[in-house]
């Protein structure tokens, strides 16, 4: 931004929040920068995760797994499926899941426990535990010890004799062994196949192999027993039902024949009753008669309508059937009629209707029409006679059908009962034959029961441990460590709310960034310990004072350092902004105490004075004059006395002999709290106006903005401010809030410097193309000197 032609009160507005400056997409560069900054935390967590994984491997006893595969094969038991009432189809997923439940059932577990005597096997009942399992068990024991005990009276147990007590303990051990084995054995389906893998893990490989084999044998025996029991139960039940079905079938067949003889329900060769046959024939004849009557009625009504329309319309409506003998006569008459009509039209058109030939033709036309009408009347009369004959025949057939239906109805009622009896007899006979065949097959099946399963892979002795898997455990530990480190790094980045780079300054508060001020020296002094003598305490205080004075003169002692170069950047910035002003009043401010603004003010003023500019440095922090203490100035009068008594800077100022820098100290006077009124008073204005007559630059070290309002009170007298923020310490939100609440001060801020920067860590926060990544290349342009503690002044 060009500050030369840009008014101070129209600078870039402050952003409202950090979110308004965020990107709408994932910034990969920013993520990589975060990863680089938190690499140490992630690496430490990963090492911790690996260490825990190794510790787990060293404290966990190895376990050996034995595996056996079982195939659910229906081809082995097809006969049982056909004859056994208890057989089921194994073509569904639910059936496979049912077999898995059988494998992990309590009954099979009890069989294996009894066969191998696992309740007496110490390797099974009390296997070695890992340190993690031991710790978990210890915690559970503590929790159970805190809970209230069982209400059972322990005195009752002591009254039981030794044999009963021993039996109860054996039963308890067996029940515990069954539950333990049931929870540890695993049965899983292989993909979508009909193969089930059965596996068991133990610290003893021989025990794992024995348990897996015993489980497979027990499952096979259980399937054979189930098949045999189902076949036996089916045969016993079928034998009892066969006797009942035989007697019921015979009785039903006898009832059918008796009923047929009693009601005379004789049938023809195809099994149909005679009455039904007669009724069927009459119905067929009646249908034909109804069709003939309908056809005759239609023709009669048609010709009757033609006759009733009169002789004039008879010729137009006449519809002569081709199968009638008179059709040729009427057709010939119609032909003559049309020919005469045509000739009549021609004569009338040429000679008129009164012409004798026209009169003769008209008479001939009328005669022909009369003849056609007479023929139609004769034809209508013949059709009437045919209709009456067809109607009489239909009436007679209806009477015969009604009589036949009466007789057939009686026979049908009897036939319904006969059909019911016949169906019962047929059903019983069929059921008897079916049950007889199944009984014979079931009786044969009892001698060779076949199961639905077969073992396709026997359990073998495991040679290597199946758990814990070293690669898996270490990989999982590493991943968990990395995730924990990533979470810790993410938490650290989430808590990062401070200024780190110039881009943060520009983006977050919208101010010009002036540069980085590296951290100089160590702490301000050595704290006094209880064992220190008075001489040691004086020596330490003296060393601290010397170190503080050295900090205030870094720009003078090391004019080619990076520290001094940043202050020159600040000078150029306010020279551009305040171009054309004779004397410039520059306030050095900060948000919080301890950010180093006094050091910056002293070094900036020293740099200006060393360059030959007439410069005045004023300690405007009247409540906590850190600048005066840092410079080691001991004065009886300072800024407060000069302003109150109306004196000029000459009466209280001191001159640095090396740089000719004029300094006005501040002398604290008890608990004086009206410092803001003093800094904004008319006396202070006169003091500054008097100083402007002599100096080109007036640098004022002002109190921080956060705790007091002194800097706000002095703002009308300042031409511009330089805001000092501590690198990695000053909260961005606090700076933004204060500048938003004080726009008058914000508009006068020339720029921001980041103080106490750790250059070794700064590169981690810079973008890939930022200047922070290349500070190591700038070192040849900076000439450094050593500070009083022997450390490099960066």
């Amino acid at each position: 931004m060009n500050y030369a032609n840009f008014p101070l009160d129209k600078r870039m507005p402050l952003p409202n929040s950090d979110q308004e400056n965020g990107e709408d997409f994932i910034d990969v560069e920013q993520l990589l920068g975060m990863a680089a900054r938190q690499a140490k935390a992630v690496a430490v967590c990963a090492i911790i995760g690996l260490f825990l994984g190794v510790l787990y491997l060293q404290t966990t006893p190895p376990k050996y797994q034995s595996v056996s595969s079982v195939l659910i094969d229906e081809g082995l038991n097809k006969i049982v499926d056909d004859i056994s009432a208890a057989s089921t189809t194994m073509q569904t997923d639910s059936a496979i899941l049912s077999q898995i439940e059988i494998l992990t059932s309590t009954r099979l577990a009890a069989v294996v426990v009894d066969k191998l005597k696992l309740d007496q096997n110490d390797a099974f009942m009390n296997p070695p535990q890992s340190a993690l399992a031991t710790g978990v068990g210890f915690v559970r024991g503590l929790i159970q010890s805190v809970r209230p005990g069982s209400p059972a009276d322990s005195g009752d147990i002591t009254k039981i004799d030794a044999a009963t007590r021993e039996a109860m303990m054996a039963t308890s051990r067996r029940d515990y062994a069954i539950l333990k084995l049931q929870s540890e054995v695993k049965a899983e389906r292989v993909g979508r196949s009909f193969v089930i893998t059965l596996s068991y893990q133990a610290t003893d490989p021989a025990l794992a192999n024995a348990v897996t084999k015993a489980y497979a044998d027990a499952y096979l025996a259980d399937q054979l027993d189930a098949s045999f029991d189902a076949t036996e139960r089916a045969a016993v039940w079928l034998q009892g039902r066969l006797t009942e079905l035989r007697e019921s079938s015979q009785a039903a067949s006898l009832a059918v024949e008796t009923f047929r003889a009693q009601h005379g329900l004789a049938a023809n060769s195809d099994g149909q009753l005679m009455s039904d046959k007669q009724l069927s024939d009459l119905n067929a004849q009646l249908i034909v008669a109804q069709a003939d009557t309908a056809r005759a009625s239609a023709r009669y009504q048609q010709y009757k309508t033609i006759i009733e329309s009169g002789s004039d319309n008879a010729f137009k409506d006449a519809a002569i059937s081709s199968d009638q003998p008179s059709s040729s006569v009427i057709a010939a008459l119609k032909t003559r009629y049309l020919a005469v009509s045509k000739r009549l039209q021609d004569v009338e058109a040429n000679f008129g209707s009164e012409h004798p030939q026209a009169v003769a033709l008209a008479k001939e036309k009328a005669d022909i029409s009369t003849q056609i009408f007479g023929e139609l009347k004769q034809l209508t009369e013949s059709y009437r006679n045919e209709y009456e004959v067809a109607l009489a025949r239909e009436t007679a057939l209806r009477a015969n059908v009604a009589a036949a239906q009466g007789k057939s109805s009686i026979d049908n009622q009897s036939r319904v009962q006969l059909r019911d009896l016949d169906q019962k007899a047929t059903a019983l006979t069929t059921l008897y034959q079916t049950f007889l065949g199944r009984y014979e097959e079931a009786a044969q099946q009892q001698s060779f029961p076949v199961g639905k399963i077969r073992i396709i892979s026997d359990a073998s002795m495991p040679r290597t441990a199946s758990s814990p898997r070293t690669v898996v455990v270490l990989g999982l530990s590493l991943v968990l460590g990395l995730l924990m480190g990533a979470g810790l790094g993410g938490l650290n980045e989430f808590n990062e709310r401070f200024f780190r780079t110039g881009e943060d300054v520009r983006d977050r508060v919208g101010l010009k960034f002036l540069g980085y001020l590296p951290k100089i020296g160590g702490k301000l002094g050595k704290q006094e310990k209880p064992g220190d003598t008075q001489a040691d305490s004086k020596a330490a205080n003296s060393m601290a004072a010397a170190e503080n004075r050295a900090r205030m003169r870094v720009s003078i002692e090391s004019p080619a350092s990076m520290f001094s170069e940043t202050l020159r950047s600040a000078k150029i910035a306010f020279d551009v902004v305040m171009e054309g002003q004779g004397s410039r009043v520059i306030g050095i401010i900060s948000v919080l105490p301890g950010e180093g603004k006094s050091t910056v003010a002293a070094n900036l003023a020293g740099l200006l004075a060393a360059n030959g500019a007439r410069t005045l440095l004023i300690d405007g922090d009247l409540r906590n004059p850190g600048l005066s203490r840092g410079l080691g100035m001991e004065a009886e009068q300072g800024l407060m006395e000069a302003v109150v008594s109306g004196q000029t800077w000459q009466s209280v100022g001191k001159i640095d002999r090396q740089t000719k820098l004029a300094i006005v100290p501040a002398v604290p006077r008890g608990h004086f709290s009206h410092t803001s009124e003093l800094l904004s008073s008319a006396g202070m204005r006169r003091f500054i106006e008097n100083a402007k007559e002599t100096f080109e630059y007036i640098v004022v070290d002002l109190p921080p903005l956060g705790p007091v309002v002194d800097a706000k009170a002095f703002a009308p007298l300042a031409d511009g401010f330089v805001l000092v923020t501590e690198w990695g310490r000053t909260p961005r939100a606090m700076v933004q809030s204060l500048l938003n609440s004080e726009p008058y001060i914000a508009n006068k801020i020339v720029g921001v410097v980041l103080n106490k920067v750790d250059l070794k860590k700064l590169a981690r926060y810079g973008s890939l193309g930022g200047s922070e990544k290349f500070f190591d290349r700038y070192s040849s342009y900076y000439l450094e000197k050593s500070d009083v503690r022997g450390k490099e002044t960066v």
Side-chain angles (χ1 to χ4, degrees):
M1 181 179 294
N2 186 2
Y3 280 82
N5 300 319
F6 199 76
L8 291 178
D9 57 348
K10 294 183 180 180
R11 293 183 185 171
M12 182 186 301
L14 296 177
N16 293 328
S17 64
D18 290 352
Q19 287 78 7
E20 291 183 2
N21 294 278
E23 298 292 341
D24 294 334
F25 55 88
I26 298 177
D27 192 343
V28 178
E29 181 178 332
Q30 186 176 4
L31 293 178
L32 292 176
M34 292 180 182
R37 289 192 293 272
Q38 304 300 328
K40 183 181 294 185
V42 175
V44 171
C45 292
I47 293 174
I48 294 174
L50 284 176
F51 173 76
L52 294 177
V54 172
L55 183 64
Y56 174 79
L57 291 174
Q58 294 297 324
T59 58
T60 302
K63 288 187 178 181
Y64 299 87
Q65 184 178 35
S66 182
V67 181
S68 179
S69 299
V70 177
L71 173 64
I72 310 298
D73 191 355
E74 292 200 358
L76 298 176
N77 200 19
K78 188 172 182 59
I79 299 177
V80 176
D81 282 343
D82 294 337
I83 67 173
S84 176
S87 64
T88 56
T89 302
M90 302 297 297
Q91 298 295 330
T92 59
D93 292 340
S94 59
I96 300 295
L97 295 177
S98 299
Q99 293 301 313
I100 293 177
E101 292 298 323
I102 293 174
L103 274 169
T104 58
S105 63
T106 305
R107 184 161 59 89
L108 278 184
V111 172
V112 175
V113 168
D114 295 337
K115 180 179 180 181
L116 300 179
K117 300 184 183 316
L118 294 178
D119 55 336
Q120 302 175 13
N121 191 331
D122 188 65
F124 174 79
M125 298 294 289
N126 299 303
Q129 300 289 332
S130 64
L132 179 61
T134 304
V136 173
F138 178 73
V139 173
R140 288 181 178 176
L142 290 178
I143 295 175
Q144 291 178 357
S145 64
V146 174
R147 293 180 178 177
S150 173
D153 187 7
S154 60
D156 295 340
I157 300 178
T158 59
K159 298 178 182 179
I160 302 175
D161 58 278
T164 305
R165 189 183 304 112
E166 184 65 26
M168 292 178 60
M169 293 178 63
T171 302
S172 299
R173 285 197 304 271
R174 180 177 180 274
D175 293 341
Y176 173 75
I178 291 172
L179 293 176
K180 186 174 183 297
L181 179 60
Q182 186 181 5
S183 62
E184 292 177 353
V185 72
K186 294 182 180 180
E188 297 177 349
R189 182 181 181 182
V190 180
R192 302 294 297 174
S193 66
F194 291 94
V195 177
I196 299 176
T197 58
L198 183 66
S199 61
Y200 178 75
Q201 277 188 344
T203 55
D204 184 4
L207 177 61
N209 185 34
V211 170
T212 306
K213 283 186 176 181
Y215 242 106
D217 295 339
Y219 179 53
L220 180 60
D222 180 77
Q223 291 293 314
L224 292 175
D225 293 342
S227 177
F228 180 81
D229 292 341
T231 305
E232 185 178 14
R233 288 194 299 269
V236 172
W237 182 80
L238 287 172
Q239 187 176 11
R241 285 291 297 161
L242 281 174
T243 303
E244 299 177 5
L245 290 174
R246 185 187 306 109
E247 296 175 355
S248 300
S249 176
Q250 293 175 354
S253 299
L254 182 59
V256 170
E257 296 302 327
T258 301
F259 186 84
R260 188 189 301 276
Q262 288 177 354
H263 292 80
L265 297 176
N268 54 14
S269 59
D270 58 356
Q272 187 178 12
L273 295 178
M274 299 302 295
S275 59
D276 290 345
K277 177 64 175 176
Q278 183 181 4
L279 180 60
S280 177
D281 293 341
L282 289 174
N283 281 327
Q285 295 177 17
L286 178 59
I287 292 172
V288 175
Q290 287 176 343
D292 294 342
T293 302
R295 184 168 54 254
S297 175
R299 287 186 300 184
Y300 169 66
Q301 293 297 331
Q302 181 182 12
Y303 279 89
K304 183 180 178 183
T305 302
I306 294 173
I307 296 301
E308 290 177 352
S309 64
S311 60
D312 293 336
N313 296 323
F315 174 78
K316 299 178 181 179
D317 296 334
I320 308 302
S321 300
S322 59
D323 59 346
Q324 297 299 324
S326 59
S327 60
S328 60
V329 177
I330 296 176
L333 291 174
K334 288 178 67 176
T335 302
R336 287 181 55 195
Y337 182 86
L338 293 174
V340 172
S341 297
K342 186 175 184 308
R343 289 174 58 195
L344 178 60
Q345 290 178 359
D346 294 340
V347 172
E348 287 179 349
N350 294 323
F351 304 103
S353 59
E354 299 298 332
H355 193 275
Q357 188 176 1
V359 173
L361 289 173
K363 182 178 180 182
E364 184 181 359
K365 178 180 177 182
D367 291 341
I368 294 173
S369 177
T370 301
Q371 292 177 14
I372 292 174
F373 186 73
E375 290 294 331
L376 289 174
K377 289 175 65 177
Q378 292 179 3
L379 189 58
T380 300
E381 188 64 25
S382 65
Y383 284 154
R384 184 179 66 82
N385 294 333
E386 291 180 4
Y387 166 69
E388 290 176 354
V389 171
L391 182 61
R393 182 171 177 271
E394 179 186 350
T395 302
L397 287 173
R398 286 185 184 275
N400 293 335
V401 169
Q405 284 178 345
K407 185 176 184 305
S408 178
S409 175
I410 297 173
D411 292 344
N412 285 336
Q413 293 177 4
S414 300
R415 189 180 180 186
V416 170
Q417 300 179 17
L418 178 63
R419 186 181 299 110
D420 182 57
L421 294 174
D422 187 53
Q423 289 177 349
K424 289 181 179 179
T426 303
L428 288 172
T429 302
T430 304
L431 187 60
Y432 172 73
Q433 295 296 331
T434 302
F435 271 65
L436 181 61
R438 296 187 64 170
Y439 171 74
E440 294 297 336
E441 293 176 352
Q444 296 297 324
Q445 182 66 23
Q446 292 181 11
S447 60
F448 57 98
V450 180
K452 291 176 179 287
I453 68 168
R454 61 189 177 97
I455 300 174
I456 61 175
S457 177
D458 290 328
S460 60
M461 182 70 69
R463 301 299 180 185
T464 59
S466 59
S467 68
R469 298 180 180 178
T470 304
V471 176
V472 174
V473 171
L474 293 180
L476 184 60
S477 301
L478 179 61
V479 171
L480 292 178
L482 291 174
L483 291 177
M484 183 174 64
L488 180 61
L491 181 62
N492 292 337
E493 290 293 331
F494 179 78
N495 292 329
E496 182 62 48
R497 294 291 186 270
F498 313 107
F499 291 104
R500 293 290 187 178
T501 63
E503 185 178 358
D504 291 341
V505 173
R506 289 186 290 268
D507 292 344
R508 306 302 182 182
V509 295
L511 296 176
K512 181 178 179 61
F513 177 64
L514 301 179
Y516 299 102
L517 293 175
K519 183 186 295 185
I520 53 177
K523 296 183 179 179
L524 292 178
K526 180 180 178 182
Q527 294 182 353
E528 183 178 353
K529 295 182 180 180
D532 292 342
T533 62
Q534 184 175 6
D536 293 338
S537 176
K538 290 181 178 179
N541 292 334
S542 176
M543 182 179 296
E547 181 180 350
N548 290 338
R549 287 194 296 272
R551 287 182 182 178
M552 298 296 182
R553 301 178 63 84
V554 170
S555 62
I556 300 173
E557 300 296 334
S558 302
S561 64
M562 181 179 178
F563 193 94
S564 301
E565 198 66 26
T566 300
L567 295 180
R568 290 189 182 93
S569 175
K571 174 186 178 299
I572 294 174
F574 55 70
D575 282 345
V576 171
V577 174
M578 304 172 192
E579 185 179 5
Q581 297 185 18
S583 180
R584 298 156 186 176
V585 181
I586 303 167
I588 309 299
I589 58 175
S590 66
V591 174
L592 296 174
E595 295 187 85
K597 62 175 179 55
S598 298
T599 302
V600 174
N603 282 278
L604 176 62
L607 180 68
L608 295 173
N611 290 338
R614 298 187 304 276
T615 306
L616 173 65
L617 175 61
I618 300 176
D619 189 352
D621 193 349
L622 301 178
R623 302 191 189 191
N624 185 21
L627 176 63
S628 301
R629 288 195 303 268
L631 293 173
M633 300 182 65
E634 297 180 359
E636 296 295 331
Q637 292 184 340
L639 178 64
M640 182 185 301
E641 290 75 14
V643 172
V644 171
S645 61
Q647 302 177 21
T648 61
W649 68 271
Q650 291 88 348
S651 60
V652 294
K654 297 182 179 297
I655 305 297
D656 183 86
R657 287 176 293 181
Q658 180 180 356
T659 61
K660 308 303 179 181
L661 172 66
I663 305 172
V664 176
V667 180
R669 301 293 182 183
H671 296 284
F672 182 73
S673 59
H674 300 288
T675 55
S676 59
E677 288 84 351
L678 182 66
L679 292 176
S680 60
S681 64
M684 186 66 186
R685 182 178 295 277
R686 287 193 297 270
F687 184 86
I688 295 297
E689 293 297 333
N690 176 260
K692 283 183 177 182
E693 297 176 358
T694 306
F695 298 101
E696 300 177 44
Y697 298 98
I698 301 175
V699 180
V700 184
D701 179 23
L702 294 170
L705 294 172
V708 293
V709 298
D710 293 10
K712 305 174 188 177
F714 185 77
L717 302 179
D719 296 319
F721 294 100
V722 174
L723 178 62
V724 179
T725 58
E726 184 174 355
W727 185 81
R729 293 286 183 178
T730 306
R732 296 192 300 256
M734 186 174 185
V735 174
Q736 188 178 51
S737 176
L738 286 174
L739 295 182
N740 283 331
S741 62
E742 300 295 335
Y744 184 74
I745 293 180
N747 289 331
K748 282 194 172 186
I749 293 178
V750 177
V752 179
V753 293
L754 287 179
N755 194 22
K756 302 180 183 180
V757 178
D758 188 344
L759 295 181
K760 294 182 180 179
K761 297 181 180 180
L762 179 61
R764 302 178 186 175
Y765 297 92
S767 59
L768 293 180
S771 60
E772 296 82 5
K773 297 289 185 180
F774 306 96
F775 276 167
D776 55 341
R777 301 188 183 183
Y778 301 165
S779 58
S780 60
Y781 289 88
Y782 303 136
L783 299 178
E784 310 292 349
K785 293 180 68 175
S786 297
D787 64 1
V788 294
R789 299 177 65 88
K791 296 182 179 179
E792 183 183 3
T793 303
V794 294

